[in-house]
Amino acid sequence: MNAKRILALLFAVLMVAGCLTACTGNSGTPTGTEPAGTQAATGGSTELTFVPWSAEDIADMGARIKEEANGGTVKLKIWQPDTAQEVFRAQADKFIEIFKDYATIEIEMGVQGENDVAGNVISDKDAAADVYGFASDQAERLIKGNAVTEVFFANEVASMNTADSVEAAKNADGKLIAYPEVGSNSYFLCYDKRDITEEQAKTLEGIFEACKAKNKNFIMDAGNGYFSCMFLFTGGLATDGFEEDGETQKFNDYDIDKVTASAMAFANLFKTYKANFEANGTGNVISGFRNGTTSAGLIGSWDIAAAKTALGENAGFAILPTINIDGTDTQIYNMFGYKYIGVNPNSKFPYAAQALAYYLTNEECQLERAEKLEWAPSNINASNNDIVKNNGALNASLAQAAYSVPQVNIAQVFWDPCAAFGKYIIESGNDFSADAVKAEVEKCINNIRDM
């Protein structure tokens, strides 16, 4: 990767940026608290199973980490969810081992959900982790809050990861602000293969018929804006960044009648099969599989391991089905996001933090997490590995990207109006005439733009 020339330039840029940060100070108000569940390590006897860089690259990077350490100890903190702590601890220890001849490195683990990261980093950057995982919908807040810094290894990252995952991590100036970590942070279909055939799983009507025949349920969190946006997106509506003010949600050039027809199709189908439809969270899908009351449901990529435990070899996975809209089977579209690792601009060891983020998102680390955590890779080579290709759940989660609206540049006010619209659609006693549904669609869109 031409490390000696590239990293020398980046390190020089970093030093200038560090001086500027020191001069301007931190404008944030320290209100956050450090997450519980931390643990630290300084390396040692960890057996290396992979090293992503050449000896020359390691020597060059190690020299810069040594210079940054300045005779002291490099202390870094990682934030990741509680379920990922063990895997990231082991990967962090391998990073320590790689550079043990250049500096003493201590890496502390902290428990932090990706969906809460932006607020916690912004509230107190000095207490926040140096390196943290976050979902793509958090990117805009992190950028506006000056809580994430530009990626040092942008060219290398862009060449190794899918184009969509890279594009979704760019700021308004086209600069990459985070390292792609997960290639699918979305939801898709999971079903019990004893109740539903692969062919039935292709259509929502087929799924409901199968559920009715077994006297079981289909579950989706239809009152949640993250899921109910599919009622609108399937009809052609899509978010399209922000208006010039940088805050008002912008939409594509949609056809209101087609969006209305889509919403009506969902509403009428839920009403027809109300005895076999449950509007509830993904956790209820898993418990329904366990207790035998559920034949199918929409689960998140974060539920894969639990679904496999609940159904065993009977677990089936697929992209979202079609729904019949005015006589035409139409592919259901959803919201599709990614996960990233960001670097705190207030890190006391910014170069080491960048190197750690780069390491944690390399091909082998992503592949290891795919195998142990069921996290779908964004890395192109890892995605083509047999470990991923032979995993039906990961394939379904990644394939859904082709039928989705990217979960980037989403206004914070987007979710509540969508949730309210979803609750309207699933209430079978409501008026679902074309005029009534169209009015609700318009109200939802206007509330998103006006709030």
Side-chain angles (χ1 to χ4, degrees):
M1 62 179 174
N2 297 321
K4 288 191 174 180
R5 284 177 292 181
I6 294 173
L7 299 181
L9 176 61
L10 291 172
F11 193 65
V13 172
L14 169 66
M15 291 300 99
V16 173
C19 290
L20 291 175
T21 302
C23 293
T24 55
N26 177 15
S27 59
T29 303
T31 57
T33 57
E34 184 172 324
T38 58
Q39 49 182 317
T42 58
S45 60
T46 304
E47 182 182 351
L48 288 178
T49 58
F50 57 84
V51 179
W53 302 306
S54 69
E56 182 182 17
D57 291 333
I58 291 173
D60 193 78
M61 298 171 78
R64 281 153 179 77
I65 292 174
K66 180 178 181 179
E67 183 177 349
E68 192 170 68
N70 195 27
T73 299
V74 173
K75 295 184 178 182
L76 300 172
K77 185 190 302 182
I78 299 173
W79 277 352
Q80 283 291 342
D82 56 353
T83 55
Q85 292 289 300
E86 183 177 348
V87 173
F88 274 92
R89 173 73 273 166
Q91 292 178 345
D93 287 345
K94 291 171 184 175
F95 177 84
I96 292 170
E97 183 75 9
I98 290 171
F99 295 106
K100 67 179 183 179
D101 292 335
Y102 299 93
T104 299
I105 303 174
E106 295 180 0
I107 299 178
E108 178 183 331
M109 299 296 300
V111 176
Q112 176 64 65
E114 296 103 328
N115 61 324
D116 299 321
V117 164
N120 289 327
V121 177
I122 292 170
S123 65
D124 190 349
K125 299 184 188 72
D126 290 327
D130 302 86
V131 172
Y132 53 83
F134 69 93
S136 54
D137 66 325
Q138 299 274 294
E140 190 65 22
R141 288 185 66 197
L142 288 165
I143 292 169
K144 288 182 177 179
N146 296 316
V148 65
T149 191
E150 187 179 330
V151 167
F152 283 7
F153 309 97
N155 291 335
E156 290 79 10
V157 169
S159 69
M160 293 186 297
N161 293 278
T162 62
D164 288 342
S165 68
V166 172
E167 192 63 30
K170 292 182 178 179
N171 62 17
D173 296 326
K175 302 295 185 181
L176 191 63
I177 55 90
Y179 295 81
E181 172 189 35
V182 175
S184 168
N185 185 39
S186 187
Y187 51 93
F188 47 95
L189 178 70
C190 181
Y191 60 97
D192 189 332
K193 291 191 288 187
R194 293 168 297 187
D195 299 340
I196 298 175
T197 67
E198 186 175 336
E199 188 63 27
Q200 289 173 317
K202 293 179 180 179
T203 71
L204 192 52
E205 293 80 8
I207 292 168
F208 270 122
E209 276 298 306
C211 289
K212 182 178 179 180
K214 293 293 184 178
N215 194 28
K216 293 184 181 182
N217 293 332
F218 167 77
I219 302 177
M220 69 167 287
D221 199 1
N224 181 326
Y226 181 56
F227 289 84
S228 60
C229 61
M230 71 167 60
F231 308 149
L232 305 169
F233 290 170
T234 302
L237 181 74
T239 54
D240 189 22
F242 299 104
E243 300 288 359
E244 291 183 2
D245 61 8
E247 296 181 359
T248 303
Q249 190 72 69
K250 184 179 178 182
F251 290 98
N252 64 332
D253 187 17
Y254 59 90
D255 183 329
I256 187 65
D257 292 327
K258 290 183 178 180
V259 178
T260 298
S262 169
M264 289 176 64
F266 280 101
N268 289 322
L269 199 59
F270 293 155
K271 183 175 182 178
T272 299
Y273 292 97
K274 62 181 180 181
N276 302 101
F277 175 60
E278 182 181 332
N280 227 317
T282 63
N284 292 77
V285 179
I286 304 303
S287 60
F289 285 146
R290 283 199 299 263
N291 62 34
T293 60
T294 299
S295 291
L298 302 190
I299 67 167
S301 52
W302 52 90
D303 295 311
I304 293 175
K308 287 183 175 180
T309 299
L311 291 175
E313 63 181 12
N314 298 307
F317 303 93
I319 62 171
L320 297 181
T322 62
I323 184 171
N324 191 282
I325 302 176
D326 293 337
T328 301
D329 288 336
T330 305
Q331 178 63 48
I332 296 176
Y333 273 62
N334 72 339
M335 181 83 77
F336 191 95
Y338 305 91
K339 291 184 182 180
Y340 297 93
I341 289 184
V343 176
N344 188 335
N346 279 30
S347 174
K348 293 181 175 64
F349 303 96
Y351 182 83
Q354 290 273 350
L356 176 60
Y358 186 24
Y359 177 82
L360 292 173
T361 53
N362 71 57
E363 175 184 342
E364 291 84 358
C365 281
Q366 288 198 29
L367 191 59
E368 185 177 31
R369 294 196 293 270
E371 187 174 22
K372 295 182 178 180
L373 300 177
E374 305 274 4
W375 287 13
S378 60
N379 182 278
I380 297 169
N381 288 343
S383 296
N384 289 322
N385 189 284
D386 285 345
I387 290 174
V388 176
K389 291 171 70 175
N390 295 333
N391 187 318
L394 294 185
N395 281 329
S397 67
L398 289 169
Q400 186 60 43
Y403 309 103
S404 63
V405 174
Q407 191 178 348
V408 294
N409 296 325
I410 305 297
Q412 286 183 264
V413 297
F414 176 88
W415 307 109
D416 287 346
C418 265
F421 182 72
K423 291 172 183 176
Y424 162 78
I425 291 297
I426 62 178
E427 180 50 63
S428 61
N430 285 332
D431 180 1
F432 295 136
S433 65
D435 288 342
V437 175
K438 184 176 182 177
E440 291 295 328
V441 169
E442 291 175 330
K443 181 171 75 173
C444 175
I445 293 172
N446 290 334
N447 283 344
I448 292 172
R449 287 179 55 80
D450 294 342
M451 288 177 70

